[in-house]
Amino acid sequence: MSIGIRLKSIRKALALNQTDFGARISLSQTTIGQYEKETRPLTERVISQLVSEFHINEEYLRHGTGDMFIDQTPKLVRQLADELSLSDREHHLLLTFLSFPPETRAQVLDFAQEFVAKLHQIEIK
């Protein structure tokens, strides 16, 4: 798969047309079309802008290796941890929880809910 096809795949994955995609990095629809058709080479500056704006994995864009996008979860969790003044332990716990697949997270939450319910039963007695 060529870089132009990968760029188009990224744009489609973001559900953006060429005009909206280009506007986010100050490029015209025509320029995006030329990049996708490879009638115009991607410059280092444009690659840098794409990676920064859309959180694209640069290795994927350049070579087709790895995931299409960079996981932003750690950055977002750090922002949340800062905003809520979480301890390092709480921050690590949240990152670990989010690293689980959705089914496992649901199981952990079910267990926690049952655990709290049992604690309330014990307190009442």
Side-chain angles (χ1 to χ4, degrees), residues 39-68:
T39 57
R40 182 178 191 167
L42 278 167
T43 64
E44 291 299 318
R45 182 186 67 82
V46 170
I47 289 173
S48 178
Q49 287 177 302
L50 290 166
V51 167
S52 177
E53 176 65 23
F54 298 108
H55 309 293
I56 297 167
N57 177 353
E58 189 171 346
E59 282 299 308
Y60 174 82
L61 179 59
R62 289 182 186 271
H63 310 291
T65 57
D67 294 329
M68 189 179 286

Side-chain angles (χ1 to χ4, degrees), residues 70-105:
I70 297 168
D71 183 7
Q72 291 294 297
T73 302
K75 179 180 176 183
L76 294 172
V77 171
R78 172 48 58 203
Q79 290 172 342
L80 180 64
D82 290 345
E83 186 72 25
L84 297 176
S85 301
L86 298 181
S87 69
D88 286 342
R89 188 174 174 196
E90 291 167 323
H91 176 239
H92 181 72
L93 179 66
L94 185 54
L95 274 175
T96 302
F97 176 75
L98 293 172
S99 73
F100 294 142
E103 313 82 54
T104 304
R105 291 196 307 254

Side-chain angles (χ1 to χ4, degrees), residues 7-8 10-12 14 16-28 32 36 50 53-54 56:
L7 182 62
K8 185 174 183 175
I10 290 165
R11 180 177 60 76
K12 296 263 186 195
L14 293 167
L16 294 171
N17 60 36
Q18 290 177 338
T19 302
D20 294 337
F21 186 73
R24 297 260 302 263
I25 55 171
S26 301
L27 295 174
S28 70
I32 298 300
E36 290 181 0
L50 290 166
E53 176 65 23
F54 298 108
I56 297 167

